Amino acid sequence: MMTAENPYLPSPMRVEKVTVETEDRSIKTFDLSFIRKEDEQAFRYLPGQFAQLSVFGKGEAPFGIASSPTTSGLLQFSVSRIGLLTRALHQMEQGDLVGIRGPLGSSFPLQDMEGKDLLVIGGGFAFTTLRSLINYVLEKDNRGRFGKLTVVYGARTPGMLLYKDELEGWRQRNDLEFHVTVDAADDGWKGRVGVVPTAVTDIAPTADNTYAIVCGPPAMTRYTLPVLEKLHFPPERVVLSLEMKMKCGIGMCGRCNIGSRYVCRDGPVFTLAELRRLPPEY
Ligand SMILES: Cc1cc2nc3c(=O)[nH]c(=O)nc-3n(C[C@H](O)[C@H](O)[C@H](O)COP(=O)(O)OP(=O)(O)OC[C@H]3O[C@@H](n4cnc5c(N)ncnc54)[C@H](O)[C@@H]3O)c2cc1C
Ligand code: FES
């Protein structure tokens, strides 16, 4: 959607809805709609891509697109309150305007994943683009293009789980094997307790004809990769999304490079095989 004239120029979007996701109120989901019809039509994205959101006078920052392209009319972003820009976003209310540049970066390798089983492993706010992928795969017209779908999703506590209503819907479906785990349970929790790598070890999914897509906090990823290796997932079929610090988001400023690759332009989605060919700077 970026204009050829000036790729740094954001398009305006209106906040349609704000949902507080977590009990500590640190993560909110924003439903945004385009002000200009032509911007909406030009914004063609796939799961795994991100966009730069801006708040006037505060700056901009990259966020994974949490909605699925199969949902028309709005884009969703789930934002964890961390610093200047994310605090400004958290103050936004219905009717306020934000800027957007995008879609940016690479998507999950959907064409390569067609006909394969999918093992989706996620935690923290990095679950946003995985949620986009899951809803994309579950869409009626797409479901037949992919094999078995297994999701392992973890949070620190039950109150920190995102998209709680949607998770309930996924639980009820029979075309999705859904596992949720929390590091620490509360009184009402009847589900699995333990960290994500342990859950993946217990579930022991088969690596045959399967892609593993992993997005989460660095510790979760670090301890999950050896589990996948033990389960014989080849690095070509392990997909990760990196969250390097970024500025321009379009391969111009050199802020986010790993060796010769720019995470904003060549990523953020890489296979483990691709990452192993790069210097270990991520
Ligand atoms: C491709 C991509 C997708 C992302 N998707 C999401 C998402 O879906 N939801 C979400 O909440 N966040 C996401 N992020 C992270 C988000 O961009 C940062 O949290 C945001 O830039 C913080 O801006 P700020 O002005 O609020 O914080 P700042 O005031 O800039 O920083 C506050 C603190 O956070 C640290 N920090 C800032 N950015 C990062 C970062 N990328 N990695 C590690 N530490 C950082 C700073 O060093 C500082 O200590 C994503 C980042 C990338 C690169
Ligand atoms: S953020 Fe500028 S080159 Fe990647």
Side-chain angles (χ1 to χ4, degrees):
M1 182 197 72
M2 289 177 308
T3 53
E5 304 79 44
N6 184 354
Y8 294 101
L9 200 65
S11 299
M13 293 194 85
R14 185 174 34 239
V15 177
E16 297 296 344
K17 190 174 157 203
V18 182
T19 307
V20 178
E21 296 282 357
T22 54
E23 68 184 1
D24 68 353
R25 304 183 69 82
S26 66
I27 302 183
K28 289 183 179 178
T29 295
F30 297 86
D31 292 13
L32 306 178
S33 69
F34 283 101
I35 305 287
R36 298 190 294 241
K37 201 75 196 154
E38 63 268 29
D39 289 343
E40 180 179 343
Q41 281 161 357
F43 197 99
R44 294 272 163 267
Y45 70 100
L46 287 170
Q49 289 193 280
F50 70 97
Q52 292 271 7
L53 291 186
S54 51
V55 177
F56 187 68
K58 302 287 182 190
E60 64 173 2
F63 299 95
I65 306 172
S67 48
S68 161
T70 51
T71 311
S72 60
L74 61 83
L75 296 178
Q76 290 179 314
F77 295 89
S78 300
V79 175
S80 174
R81 194 183 57 236
I82 288 183
L84 187 71
L85 193 269
T86 49
R87 262 203 302 270
L89 276 173
H90 267 239
Q91 280 162 11
M92 293 270 154
E93 292 174 354
Q94 189 182 19
D96 287 342
L97 294 187
V98 298
I100 188 165
R101 290 197 292 127
L104 301 170
S106 56
S107 67
F108 296 120
L110 294 167
Q111 283 190 349
D112 297 340
M113 286 167 16
E114 273 196 30
K116 308 279 192 304
D117 292 347
L118 305 181
L119 169 65
V120 173
I121 303 172
F125 65 66
F127 191 61
T128 53
T129 52
L130 294 179
R131 183 249 192 165
S132 170
L133 175 68
I134 294 163
N135 283 329
Y136 177 86
V137 171
L138 289 176
E139 172 69 24
K140 188 160 64 358
D141 293 343
N142 293 333
R143 188 65 193 90
R145 292 165 49 202
F146 303 92
K148 183 178 172 193
L149 174 61
T150 306
V151 177
V152 184
Y153 171 38
R156 289 203 308 274
T157 60
M160 292 303 288
L161 289 166
L162 305 180
Y163 319 124
K164 293 183 187 63
D165 292 345
E166 197 168 79
L167 302 188
E168 204 39 56
W170 292 351
R171 262 197 206 100
Q172 323 255 328
R173 295 181 70 119
N174 53 16
D175 57 353
L176 162 73
E177 184 182 315
F178 187 42
H179 303 270
V180 184
T181 186
V182 296
D183 299 353
D186 58 20
D187 286 346
W189 182 252
K190 299 201 170 49
R192 186 186 284 272
V193 180
V195 294
V196 165
T198 309
V200 178
T201 306
D202 293 348
I203 296 159
T206 172
D208 293 347
N209 200 40
T210 304
Y211 262 87
I213 306 102
V214 186
C215 298
M220 187 208 92
T221 305
R222 192 169 343 114
Y223 290 106
T224 299
L225 292 181
V227 175
L228 293 175
E229 202 170 348
K230 265 200 188 139
L231 291 165
H232 306 296
F233 278 84
E236 295 75 23
R237 280 195 272 113
V238 175
V239 177
L240 303 163
S241 185
L242 299 187
E243 271 175 25
M244 297 283 285
K245 285 199 192 165
M246 293 180 183
K247 198 166 163 64
C248 70
I250 51 173
M252 302 293 276
C253 72
R255 179 78 170 263
C256 68
N257 74 301
I258 306 175
S260 60
R261 310 290 295 274
Y262 291 113
V263 175
C264 66
R265 188 191 60 196
D266 304 318
V269 175
F270 295 96
T271 64
L272 186 55
E274 286 174 310
L275 288 179
R276 284 190 176 157
R277 290 194 286 270
L278 296 174
E281 295 163 2
Y282 47 90

